[in-house]
């Protein structure tokens, strides 16, 4: 009754008991869904293939979407690809995905990882395959303290070293009875693993962002996409400044269907873009590339609104921090790109902002996801060109490729069309 009295006094509701009860129920529900973080998840067949159904007049069901996606991937011309797994830090899970005493199996970067949180709260990442008889310790394994026990024969491995520390039926522990332990870190609500083709230790470390690490800002949601492309294509978008006015010029309500981009109603308002990209040169920052971007929306070619300034750092091959300033307030978007397969990338965006930015931040997040889907449509069907035909205005793409090349090394794995499986 206290909530009902507050609501009725605030908005002067008529003296109708059922109406008051209705409002007392609806407002808390509306507040709950407003405060609840967004979670948009789209798999490989959800974006970029609808035109095939329209062209061939195929009924769009879940099964046919998957089949059409697979057929399209088989026919795709992939080009002369760079190595498929660069060296660097890659996000493999959100922090909330792994509770204390829980283990998760993750397939990425051509590896199988067992990711578990010990009783001390720390994340450990080991190879998932037990060296004894090859069982997957992430499927049925039991976390014991800061160790994990294989479900097949009970061998116990330390999360800190990967070394076998106990065999329940033997006192004879083999000297080489160890699972590979991967360098990992947990920062900014994400769990990262360090991948290096030559097994070198991390050459840089990821830093916590104070407003996220200290929980000063809200976590407001995430999007998760699976993209049919080489990993380099996605961060290269930041240096490809000339595509912004073409692909992302039409206003957001045109959606992600590229066939709508030329419609008159899609251009009643347009997003204007100015952008630049540079690589940092200080020895301790050579793994960072930076972009500055300014955008506003122009209505009827006259009226400008919704100005945003974005400063982003590409930190290594698969992690981007975007600091966004709007006319309402600031926000941060984290982007992670992780190779699930040679030509399948998992792309996650996570958004954080203070309360003052809340409503506008949510609208911005939905806008960002729609504009990102336009890129996904392109990536899903394009060919990688190692020697593209560029103009002088596109020199930043050349600079980006030179910069990104530092993340490949002699043993970085490569594939061609004949080695790919679908």
């Amino acid at each position: 009754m206290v909530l009902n009295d507050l609501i009725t006094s605030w908005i002067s509701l008529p003296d109708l008991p059922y109406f008051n009860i209705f409002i007392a129920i609806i407002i808390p529900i509306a507040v709950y869904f407003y405060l609840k973080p967004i979670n948009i998840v789209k798999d490989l067949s959800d974006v970029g293939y609808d035109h095939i159904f329209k062209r061939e007049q195929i009924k769009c069901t879940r099964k046919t979407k998957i089949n059409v996606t697979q057929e399209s991937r088989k026919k795709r011309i992939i080009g002369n690809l760079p190595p498929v797994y660069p060296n660097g830090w890659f996000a493999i899970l959100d922090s909330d995905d792994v509770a204390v005493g829980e283990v998760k199996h993750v397939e990425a970067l051509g590896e199988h990882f067992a990711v578990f949180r010990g009783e001390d709260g720390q994340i450990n990442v080991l190879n998932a395959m037990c060296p004894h008889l090859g069982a997957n310790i992430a499927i049925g394994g039991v976390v014991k303290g800061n160790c994990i026990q294989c479900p097949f024969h009970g061998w116990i491995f330390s999360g800190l070293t990967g070394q076998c520390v106990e065999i329940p039926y033997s006192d004879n522990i083999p000297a080489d009875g160890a699972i590979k332990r991967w360098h990992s870190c947990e920062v900014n609500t994400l769990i990262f693993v360090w991948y290096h083709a030559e097994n070198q230790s991390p050459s840089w470390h990821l830093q916590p962002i104070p407003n996220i690490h200290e929980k000063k800002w809200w976590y407001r949601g995430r999007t998760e996409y699976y993209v049919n492309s080489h990993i380099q294509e996605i961060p290269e978008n930041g240096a490809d400044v000339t595509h912004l006015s073409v692909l992302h010029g039409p206003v957001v309500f045109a959606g992600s269907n590229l066939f709508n981009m030329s419609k008159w109603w899609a251009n009643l308002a347009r997003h204007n873009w100015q952008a630049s990209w540079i690589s940092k040169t200080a020895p301790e920052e050579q793994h960072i590339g930076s972009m500055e971007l300014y955008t506003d929306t122009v209505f009827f070619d006259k009226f400008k609104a919704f100005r945003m300034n974005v400063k982003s750092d590409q930190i290594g091959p698969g992690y981007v921090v975007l600091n966004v300033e709007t006319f309402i307030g600031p926000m941060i978007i984290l982007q992670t790109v992780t190779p699930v397969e040679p030509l399948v990338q998992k792309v996650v965006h996570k958004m954080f902002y203070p309360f003052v930015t809340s409503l506008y931040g949510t609208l911005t997040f939905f806008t960002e996801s729609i504009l990102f889907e336009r890129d996904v449509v392109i990536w899903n069907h394009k060919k990688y060109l190692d020697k593209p035909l560029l103009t002088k205005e596109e020199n930043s793409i050349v600079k980006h490729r030179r910069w990104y090349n530092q993340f490949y090394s002699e043993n970085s794995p490569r594939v061609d069309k004949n080695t790919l499986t679908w």
Side-chain angles (χ1 to χ4, degrees), residues 53-91:
F53 295 98
K54 184 175 182 179
R55 182 185 67 213
E56 300 183 10
Q57 297 182 333
I58 302 172
K59 185 178 180 181
C60 185
T61 66
R62 188 71 189 155
K63 183 176 181 180
T64 57
K65 284 179 71 174
I66 294 172
N67 290 339
V68 165
T69 302
Q70 295 295 344
E71 285 300 315
S72 179
R73 295 180 70 203
K74 288 178 183 178
K75 297 174 183 177
R76 181 176 177 180
I77 302 173
I78 63 172
N80 186 22
L81 297 176
V84 291
Y85 302 139
N87 301 321
W89 289 104
F90 294 93

Side-chain angles (χ1 to χ4, degrees), residues 125-366:
V125 182
L126 302 179
N127 263 7
M129 302 306 167
C130 180
H132 175 215
L133 280 172
N136 189 325
I137 65 171
I139 300 175
V142 178
V143 177
K144 295 193 170 186
N146 297 314
C147 300
I148 186 167
Q149 184 174 41
C150 175
F152 198 13
H153 294 84
W155 289 32
I156 298 176
F157 298 89
S158 167
L160 299 177
T161 64
Q163 182 65 44
C164 179
V165 294
E166 182 180 342
I167 299 173
Y169 51 85
S170 177
D171 294 329
N172 181 25
I173 299 176
D176 56 352
I179 299 180
K180 178 177 179 178
R181 179 183 181 274
W182 294 82
H183 293 283
S184 63
C185 68
E186 189 172 10
V187 62
N188 301 325
T189 75
L190 293 161
I191 298 169
F192 292 85
V193 69
W194 172 264
Y195 176 90
H196 198 285
E198 276 76 31
N199 292 316
Q200 293 182 12
S201 297
S203 52
W204 76 87
H205 295 277
L206 302 179
Q207 301 302 316
I209 299 168
N211 284 326
I212 298 175
H213 180 71
E214 298 169 13
K215 298 184 178 179
K216 294 179 180 178
W217 286 8
W218 290 10
Y219 162 61
R220 296 307 302 131
R222 69 193 292 279
T223 62
E224 179 180 313
Y225 290 89
Y226 288 84
V227 184
N228 182 21
S229 76
H230 186 277
I231 182 174
Q232 186 175 312
E233 300 271 25
I234 296 174
E236 188 170 287
N237 227 40
D240 183 8
V241 297
T242 57
H243 91 286
L244 294 170
S245 62
V246 179
L247 188 61
H248 303 299
V251 75
V252 67
F253 61 68
S256 58
N257 186 337
L258 302 191
F259 294 95
N260 289 335
M261 298 297 99
S262 60
K263 302 288 180 62
W264 65 270
W265 50 266
N267 291 279
L268 291 176
R270 288 186 60 83
H271 303 294
N272 271 2
W273 305 87
Q274 299 177 27
S276 61
W277 183 91
I278 61 169
S279 58
K280 295 192 175 182
T281 56
E284 68 277 9
E285 295 184 318
Q286 290 180 355
H287 60 281
I288 300 176
S290 292
M291 180 184 72
E292 291 195 18
L293 183 149
Y294 307 92
T295 179
D296 48 42
T297 304
V298 182
F299 296 88
F300 308 110
D301 291 327
K302 292 183 179 180
F303 309 106
K304 292 184 178 181
F306 309 120
R307 179 77 172 186
M308 285 200 307
N309 300 339
V310 182
K311 293 185 178 181
S312 73
D313 283 338
Q314 168 85 40
I315 304 170
Y319 177 52
V320 183
V321 177
L322 298 97
N323 290 281
V324 183
E325 291 289 340
T326 75
F327 70 98
I328 295 292
M331 61 188 76
I332 290 175
I333 300 176
L334 306 180
Q335 181 197 68
T336 63
V337 185
T338 303
V340 178
E341 299 175 10
L343 286 182
V344 177
Q345 312 304 321
K346 177 183 176 182
V347 184
V348 172
H349 294 88
K350 301 187 75 172
M351 175 175 273
F352 304 81
Y353 46 69
F355 180 79
V356 69
T357 320
S358 55
L359 180 58
Y360 187 70
T362 301
L363 295 174
T364 300
F365 201 35
F366 279 112

Side-chain angles (χ1 to χ4, degrees), residues 354-381:
F355 180 79
V356 69
T357 320
S358 55
L359 180 58
Y360 187 70
T362 301
L363 295 174
T364 300
F365 201 35
F366 279 112
T367 297
E368 190 271 343
S369 67
I370 291 172
L371 297 182
F372 181 75
E373 286 187 11
R374 296 180 188 178
D375 288 308
V376 175
V377 177
I378 299 294
W379 291 325
N380 280 354
H381 301 280

